[in-house]
Amino acid sequence: MDLITQKVYGAEDILPADSYKWQFVEDIMRGQAQSYGFKEIRTPVFEHTELFNRSVGDTTDIVQKEMYSFTTKGGDNLSLKPEGTAGAARAMLEHKLFAAGYPIKTYYITACYRYEKKNFGRQREFHQFGMETYGAASPFADAEVICAANSIFDRLDVKNISLEINSIGCPDCRPKYHDALKEYFGAHKDELCETCHSRLERNPMRILDCKEKKCAEIAKSAPTVLDYICDDCKNHFEGVKNCLDAVNIEYTVNPNIVRGLDYYTKTVFEFVAPEVGTVCGGGRYDGLIEELGGQHTPSLGFGMGIERLLILLEKQGIALEQPPECDIYIAGISEKGKLKAFELTEGIRNASLIAECDIIGRKLMPQMKYANKIKAKFSMVLGDDEIDSGKAKLKNMLSGTEKEVPLDENFYDRFFAIYVNGANDTFMEKLGLNIQD
Ligand code: ATP
Ligand code: MG
């Protein structure tokens, strides 16, 4: 094949053989979000670049190096969203969702774009599931979103995923910590990477998050944020821990978690698995809404990488529910037979079963081969004989038994009866029938 082009570097196609995994995981995410009272918000894939500069923060790697930014023909400076929170927060403000009262609880499933080097669990287009709460200052709100994220891992039976939490203080207490970090890292300046040199002046906490080996080594002995936070932040952190203890969610306090975005205050957390590193990261961002021009609105949330979650599930050998297979294939071997097959197939689909017939003009043998390939549970062959006699044989593909069915308006009742009789529990469930009835 001589294709004119291929997919963009760092982007991935999700093919039909794998898309069920995404659907399965996304269904669990939606279900859990719903259980916790969160409603979906969908925002555009691009925003005015200014939004990310202000919310994600212009000292972050994302804004400095990773954003897909461009100028439109009309002269607007836009960027593809590198994360989900900024757009959701903007929309919340723009549509005055706060007017209906707090808390506001939203979730999203979105593609994100970051100009990063492709690597294991790292792409340029990737997907995040995220949950956000606006207008909640209490530690119960922090614990609620942590529990929600945790519940998704539980539902998926993920093993060995650890929750690491930290508090990074607030604008009152953080400057003191920044000073301590500047002093400490300043003494090791020569050993730090190029990027960390600029971090040292502008945002020293970010050095704790550097992925360069030598910086990470030095960061290990850096002053600990928890020694610097104020009483309010301390009490809040204790409150979060108490809530997690109350519902038996295990965690470790890791003072090196600072998160990659500028907007975090107080609680930050990550769910980390040895196989893929950080799958989910989040925390509180009490200053974000004001930064975007709104009233002071304590808020928080998390983003979970769906690709990394799927890699983790695969590495742990967790099988996801396969999509249902074809219930019936109706083969047609004459013009009239093919037309009848088309008509009956359509009728069966109206009952929410899965039915297929020939759409590419095959002869009988290849049609039956196809029926086997798609694992049809029943099959039927319609030719002129069947049309003339008004009867056909319905075959159970598993047992091989055949039963006669009429081709008039009674076909559906007869088919469903046979189908249910020879059915296992899943068929029954699908039809909304109970064998005891
Ligand atoms: P990392 O430290 O791995 O770069 P991050 O701190 O930049 O992650 P966040 O911005 O907090 O990540 O995004 C939340 C989650 O989104 C991450 O935990 C991860 O699962 C996922 N994620 C982030 N960047 C990528 C990427 N380039 N490709 C795939 N998943 C990603
Ligand atoms: Mg990153």
Side-chain angles (χ1 to χ4, degrees):
M1 271 196 303
D2 209 0
L3 297 181
I4 60 156
T5 183
Q6 294 187 328
K7 65 183 156 64
V8 172
Y9 175 88
E12 289 298 335
D13 300 308
I14 298 155
L15 301 175
D18 289 319
S19 55
Y20 79 93
K21 297 176 192 164
W22 286 76
Q23 289 165 0
F24 185 83
V25 164
E26 287 173 8
D27 280 353
I28 286 186
M29 291 166 165
R30 288 178 193 283
Q32 290 313 106
Q34 207 170 7
S35 291
Y36 284 82
F38 288 66
K39 295 214 165 80
E40 187 178 11
I41 186 161
R42 298 189 190 198
T43 63
V45 75
F46 46 31
E47 296 279 352
H48 294 283
T49 299
E50 177 67 7
L51 176 70
F52 302 117
N53 290 351
R54 287 293 283 272
S55 63
V56 176
D58 49 15
T59 67
T60 58
D61 281 358
I62 292 180
V63 165
Q64 290 200 334
K65 300 192 273 189
E66 299 171 0
M67 263 198 323
Y68 279 87
S69 300
F70 54 96
T71 308
T72 65
K73 290 191 179 115
D76 288 330
N77 291 318
L78 305 186
S79 295
L80 301 183
K81 56 169 115 161
E83 51 90 62
T85 297
R90 180 212 35 84
M92 186 281 287
L93 285 169
E94 192 166 332
H95 300 281
K96 300 190 173 58
L97 299 189
F98 49 80
Y102 292 121
I104 301 161
K105 307 206 283 189
T106 60
Y107 78 89
Y108 57 80
I109 294 179
T110 184
C112 299
Y113 301 85
R114 295 186 193 175
Y115 199 79
E116 296 198 79
K117 210 164 154 212
K118 195 170 129 181
N119 208 331
F120 178 73
R122 198 173 290 289
Q123 296 172 193
R124 287 186 171 177
E125 183 191 63
F126 65 99
H127 298 80
Q128 276 187 352
F129 162 73
M131 292 175 76
E132 336 240 64
T133 304
Y134 302 99
S138 148
F140 284 103
D142 307 47
E144 182 176 78
V145 295
I146 293 174
C147 289
N150 187 68
S151 76
I152 289 166
F153 299 123
D154 274 356
R155 282 287 165 122
L156 289 166
D157 263 336
V158 175
K159 316 272 180 315
N160 299 327
I161 187 145
S162 48
L163 167 62
E164 302 187 0
I165 60 172
N166 190 23
S167 173
I168 56 170
C170 64
D172 287 340
C173 53
R174 205 179 300 155
K176 254 194 335 189
Y177 181 55
H178 273 182
D179 289 344
L181 283 179
K182 275 183 193 166
E183 196 179 315
Y184 172 79
F185 285 119
H188 294 84
K189 197 169 174 185
D190 297 344
E191 300 150 71
L192 296 176
C193 75
E194 198 70 24
T195 321
C196 281
H197 280 184
S198 64
R199 288 175 176 143
L200 187 56
E201 278 319 305
R202 304 177 61 187
N203 198 343
M205 242 166 55
R206 192 107 306 121
I207 303 176
L208 299 171
D209 203 27
C210 183
K211 293 183 178 71
E212 290 285 330
K213 253 198 181 126
K214 48 185 183 173
C215 301
E217 197 54 44
I218 298 164
K220 274 187 192 157
S221 318
T224 294
V225 62
L226 295 173
D227 292 338
Y228 291 82
I229 59 175
C230 61
D231 285 347
D232 180 38
C233 289
K234 257 186 204 144
N235 291 336
H236 186 91
F237 196 45
E238 287 308 308
V240 176
K241 290 195 279 184
N242 285 341
C243 292
L244 296 176
D245 291 339
V247 290
N248 296 318
I249 290 185
E250 284 178 36
Y251 55 83
T252 50
V253 174
N254 177 353
N256 280 344
I257 291 186
V258 293
R259 311 287 315 126
L261 287 64
D262 261 1
Y263 51 52
Y264 286 100
T265 51
K266 293 185 174 163
T267 318
V268 288
F269 62 90
E270 290 186 357
F271 284 87
V272 189
E275 295 91 340
V276 286
T278 307
V279 185
C280 172
R284 181 168 274 286
Y285 27 86
D286 287 348
L288 174 66
I289 297 300
E290 261 169 307
E291 190 67 32
L292 300 182
Q295 302 275 321
H296 176 70
T297 310
S299 305
L300 66 155
F302 67 77
M304 189 182 287
I306 304 182
E307 280 83 359
R308 279 191 209 174
L309 177 59
L310 287 169
I311 296 174
L312 180 61
L313 294 175
E314 184 156 347
K315 292 220 166 235
Q316 296 196 352
I318 296 169
L320 302 178
E321 197 182 295
Q322 298 271 351
E325 312 276 11
C326 181
D327 292 309
I328 179 168
Y329 182 86
I330 308 184
I333 45 174
S334 67
E335 204 173 312
K336 277 193 228 160
K338 279 185 190 275
L339 200 61
K340 191 71 182 169
F342 187 76
E343 176 200 322
L344 297 180
T345 305
E346 188 65 5
I348 289 170
R349 291 167 181 159
N350 284 338
S352 299
L353 291 185
I354 304 174
E356 286 198 58
C357 62
D358 178 48
I359 53 162
I360 56 177
R362 278 178 172 147
K363 294 205 157 46
L364 181 60
M365 279 300 280
Q367 283 193 59
M368 294 319 289
K369 245 186 169 166
Y370 178 76
N372 275 319
K373 187 174 105 181
I374 60 172
K375 301 197 179 89
K377 291 172 193 124
F378 289 88
S379 71
M380 200 163 77
V381 179
L382 301 184
D384 285 343
D385 287 352
E386 282 77 13
I387 303 299
D388 292 345
S389 67
K391 285 180 284 196
K393 289 206 170 92
L394 179 72
K395 182 174 177 182
N396 181 323
M397 298 283 275
L398 205 66
S399 64
T401 53
E402 291 188 328
K403 292 212 165 111
E404 198 170 86
V405 291
L407 294 180
D408 56 18
E409 67 278 8
N410 294 317
F411 166 76
Y412 299 107
D413 283 351
R414 182 81 182 118
F415 169 65
F416 294 140
I418 296 170
Y419 178 90
V420 170
N421 254 333
N424 61 28
D425 293 346
T426 4
F427 296 8
M428 306 282 289
E429 240 179 61
K430 217 163 137 183
L431 287 169
L433 295 171
N434 186 329
I435 205 147
Q436 265 89 43
D437 287 346

